[in-house]
Structures are given as C-alpha cells and as structure tokens.
Amino acid sequence: HIPETGPALILANHLRKADSFTTPALIVRELNRRTIFAAKQSYFEGGVDIFGHHLRSPTAWFFQEFTHAIPVARDGKKESISEFHQAAVSVLNGGDLLAGYPEGTRSPDGRLYRARNGFATIALEAMVPIIPQGNMYSSHRGADPRQIAHVHFGEPIQPAEYEGMRPFELSELIS
C-alpha cells in the first residue's frame, strides 16, 4: 500500500518502545525508500564527551543516521510546533515518506487513543496520501518472553477523501 515513488504520510499506532525501532527497520528494508521519521527530542540527546569529541548514544545515532528523524519537542510551545510542522511539510514536498505516531506518545495499555491534530494539519497542507499502519505483537509459544512484531499497512486515504476537512475531523478519521 505504500507508493514506490512520491510523498505519503505513514501514521501508526504506538504500542511499545520497540515500535520506534521495528517500524523504521521494516520500512527501510522492505521499501528501500527514504523515509523520514518523527521522533521525540530526547532520542537526540545523550552521549559522552571523550578527549574533546562528542560520542552520541546508540539511540541518538540510530535516530539521526538511520531514520533521518525530525526531532519533535513535546513542550507545547508554538515555536516548537511550527518548526516541526515546517520540517514535516518540507519532507513531503520533497517527495519523501514521513512516518509518525498521531497519538503523540506510546499507548500505556495497548488501546488506540485519539490522534492529536498535528499530523492532520500537516496532511491538510501537503495533501498527500495517508497510509495507516498497525503494529501488533504476538508471543512465542510456551514461556518464551520474546514477542513477534507484526506490521500491517492499510489502504491509503487519498487527499480527495479528506480535502476540506478541519484538522480535528481528519484526526478523528485517522484515529
């Protein structure tokens, strides 16, 4: 369901910390397409200074180098929101995929929560297909604590289907 070329917005549910790693890995591996991810600001912080050189934490490296992520400051300040919005629209206008979690945070109990308006506002400005992504996990048999990640992509919501909606209406559609 993900186009081979052209921009699209991939919006996923966020159940586990692992989503931030499995989703980028699967998209990059399966599609071999440049995909930019929205990631919380704290993923870009950390590391150590050794002999005048800053070494990033493995998490910071992953998000900066592998996912080409755009940091999302979750401080609620208008400037932070505007910076992320402009960067996200620029990614889509450049023909790339942008992926994120419209709920804005990980679900504490596995339920799908209402989407915030940020990605809806971005979609309404960029007018690109919205591809729903569902992340699910299943356990191995027996006492094995590991879980298998299942990632499913739904039918794209085309711009004509949401043109003229207000952000909160589109947020309800993508929730």
Side-chain angles (χ1 to χ4, degrees):
H1 297 294
I2 297 175
E4 291 182 22
T5 61
L9 189 55
I10 301 170
L11 298 180
N13 61 325
H14 194 9
L15 301 175
R16 306 249 161 81
K17 286 182 180 179
D19 294 339
S20 298
F21 299 94
T22 57
T23 297
L26 288 169
I27 289 174
V28 170
R29 185 189 76 196
E30 296 297 321
L31 301 176
N32 198 25
R33 269 202 73 183
R34 181 174 165 88
T35 305
I36 312 300
F37 291 83
K40 65 182 176 179
Q41 179 72 40
S42 64
Y43 284 158
F44 293 84
E45 299 164 354
V48 295
D49 289 319
I50 299 177
F51 303 116
H53 297 284
H54 183 75
L55 301 176
R56 293 175 291 177
S57 71
T59 302
W61 176 88
F62 178 82
F63 282 99
Q64 291 171 4
E65 303 297 329
F66 184 74
T67 70
H68 310 288
I70 300 171
V72 179
R74 300 189 305 176
D75 56 15
K77 294 179 181 175
K78 286 186 179 185
E79 304 84 41
S80 301
I81 294 167
S82 178
E83 285 176 17
F84 174 72
H85 179 91
Q86 289 173 2
V89 170
S90 177
V91 164
L92 295 167
N93 287 342
D96 290 319
L97 300 172
L98 176 66
Y101 305 108
E103 297 165 282
T105 190
R106 186 175 64 250
S107 170
D109 58 12
R111 294 183 315 172
L112 185 62
Y113 285 86
R114 184 183 172 285
R116 296 182 182 198
N117 291 337
F119 281 108
T121 303
I122 291 163
L124 287 164
E125 182 172 334
M127 295 305 290
V128 297
I130 300 170
I131 301 163
Q133 176 194 329
N135 297 316
M136 297 183 301
Y137 294 86
S138 62
S139 298
H140 286 273
R141 297 178 200 256
D144 189 340
R146 295 176 296 172
Q147 294 190 330
I148 300 169
H150 302 275
V151 177
H152 301 280
F153 297 100
E155 290 285 335
I157 302 168
Q158 298 299 331
E161 296 176 60
Y162 64 82
E163 186 174 13
M165 285 186 176
R166 293 181 294 196
F168 77 90
E169 294 169 323
L170 182 53
S171 291
E172 288 180 14
L173 177 66
I174 60 179
S175 286

